[in-house]
Amino acid sequence: MMSTADTVAFDVVDGIAWVRFNRPEKRNCMSPTLNRRMMEVLDELEFREDVGVLVLSGEGTAWSAGMDLKEYFRETEAKGLGATRQAQRESYGWWRRLRWYQKPTIAMVNGWCFGGGYGPLYSCDLAIAAEEAKFGLSEINWGILPGGGATKVVVDLIPMRDAMYHAMTGEAIDGKKAAEWRLVNEAVPLAQLKDRVTEIAKVLLEKNPVALKATKDAVRRVKEMTYDNAEDFLVRAQEAANSFDNNGRKEGIRQFIDEKSYKPGLGAYKRG
Ligand code: ACO
């Protein structure tokens, strides 16, 4: 019997927290145990000084085969409504936590990604897939609608006709198609996946972390706002960020205007 701690693996290397769904023998499907553990791991890593970027991937051949049909649905439902609602809170809870995470996040989709997996996929700020990965809203194939936010995820990320086709047919698509549909940023051969994600993480590690958090939140928030609301929100969000980080942006201005050591249009300033 696997202990709770074993359902999620992680290590921190050179500023990057590599977090992995760790039930490869169950294709990393999400059980209540895994969901509970993931929240603990996110908690532990969020404000660590040695963590600048979090990457979420899966051990073995899967990223995540979605919710655990046995432990999350059948066994939980057998315990009644209270247990069902608790299991929902625990899974939605860590996905929500990840959506508004302090550090930038990258989904590194190494393999199968089904159904409930779209929750954490959407939670990550960026998503890079293996061309060989397979994505599917397989809910329809076993007789439910894509819940747990999955319908919202595809409608938010991909065009309506593709979202409808994807949800109604339950046909899986590969990483290349997922990139074409913009479900992920890009797809690369599996053999190059970790290198490409490391490269992107390094770009993020060079940026001002206060600005990164403000930026990622702003992108998610303004999507649902009118232009005027967004304009107002962004002024206030920047002013709030200034109070956390007075020196960063001043240094950014100084190195460009006085020192002429970089151009903000072409790269980031040097952080002290
Ligand atoms: N829930 C529970 N158990 C699962 C799940 C899941 N979502 N996915 C895989 N497993 C288990 C299998 O039952 C099997 O267990 P066993 O070894 O005890 O028999 C083990 O993981 C390995 O699975 P296989 O099917 O043998 O692996 P394979 O590599 O051949 O296929 C695939 C992988 C395609 C991902 C397949 O496992 C699959 O279709 N899984 C279900 C995907 C899915 O539809 N998920 C639910 C989405 S809907 C939602 O999340 C709300």
Side-chain angles (χ1 to χ4, degrees):
M1 183 74 187
M2 200 176 235
S3 82
T4 310
D6 294 332
T7 54
V8 178
F10 70 95
D11 44 330
V12 177
V13 184
D14 299 334
I16 306 171
W18 298 93
V19 178
R20 298 177 297 279
F21 294 107
N22 190 30
R23 300 178 73 206
E25 73 295 344
K26 297 287 180 191
R27 304 303 179 261
N28 297 324
C29 65
M30 291 175 270
S31 61
T33 309
L34 180 146
N35 290 328
R36 225 166 287 144
R37 179 60 188 154
M38 191 64 89
M39 184 67 110
E40 288 171 4
V41 169
L42 294 181
D43 258 335
E44 178 175 336
L45 294 169
E46 188 163 19
F47 294 99
R48 263 173 61 165
E49 297 261 321
D50 60 342
V51 173
V53 174
L54 183 143
V55 176
L56 181 60
S57 70
E59 283 289 347
T61 56
W63 192 69
S64 172
M67 307 319 291
D68 187 320
L69 268 49
K70 179 168 168 282
E71 293 185 37
Y72 181 86
F73 286 108
R74 190 164 70 188
E75 292 175 5
T76 304
E77 282 165 11
K79 292 182 199 150
L81 185 62
T84 299
R85 290 287 181 262
Q86 184 188 339
Q88 289 164 339
R89 279 197 303 277
E90 286 171 342
S91 54
Y92 304 169
W94 76 260
W95 304 345
R96 184 180 315 113
R97 182 67 174 281
L98 199 56
R99 280 201 301 281
W100 304 104
Y101 209 58
Q102 183 68 29
K103 307 292 168 63
T105 55
I106 305 172
M108 180 169 91
V109 186
N110 52 295
W112 308 112
C113 176
F114 287 109
Y118 283 40
L121 177 70
Y122 179 70
S123 295
C124 290
D125 303 322
L126 302 173
I128 312 298
E131 290 175 351
E132 297 89 333
K134 285 266 170 8
F135 296 77
L137 285 182
S138 52
E139 285 88 342
I140 197 70
N141 291 338
W142 63 279
I144 67 165
L145 63 74
T151 298
K152 176 68 175 157
V153 170
V154 292
V155 169
D156 257 21
L157 295 182
I158 75 183
M160 184 67 168
R161 289 291 181 209
D162 293 330
M164 194 66 95
Y165 188 92
H166 199 51
M168 290 181 73
T169 65
E171 277 174 27
I173 57 170
D174 66 12
K176 276 188 192 168
K177 189 77 168 175
E180 204 181 289
W181 279 2
R182 314 308 298 138
L183 191 55
V184 299
N185 291 89
E186 60 181 77
V188 298
L190 179 61
Q192 291 159 30
L193 184 62
K194 191 166 185 188
D195 283 351
R196 176 62 184 133
V197 168
T198 303
E199 190 175 81
I200 296 168
K202 282 186 176 159
V203 170
L204 298 175
L205 286 170
E206 285 171 7
K207 310 295 187 199
N208 177 320
V210 174
L212 272 179
K213 167 67 171 150
T215 298
K216 55 180 262 180
D217 287 1
V219 169
R220 283 188 197 270
R221 290 282 184 216
V222 302
K223 195 161 188 295
E224 293 175 356
M225 293 180 190
T226 63
Y227 193 95
D228 283 318
N229 286 343
E231 195 178 66
D232 186 54
F233 169 83
L234 293 170
V235 167
R236 284 157 217 290
Q238 181 55 48
E239 286 170 2
N242 291 351
S243 70
F244 280 107
D245 176 45
N246 276 319
N247 296 327
R249 74 198 176 97
K250 286 184 186 157
E251 184 58 21
I253 294 174
R254 195 189 66 77
Q255 288 178 19
F256 176 51
I257 299 296
D258 303 332
E259 207 173 87
K260 299 190 188 305
S261 54
Y262 83 115
K263 293 177 194 298
L266 304 178
Y269 73 94
K270 264 206 186 54
R271 293 201 295 120

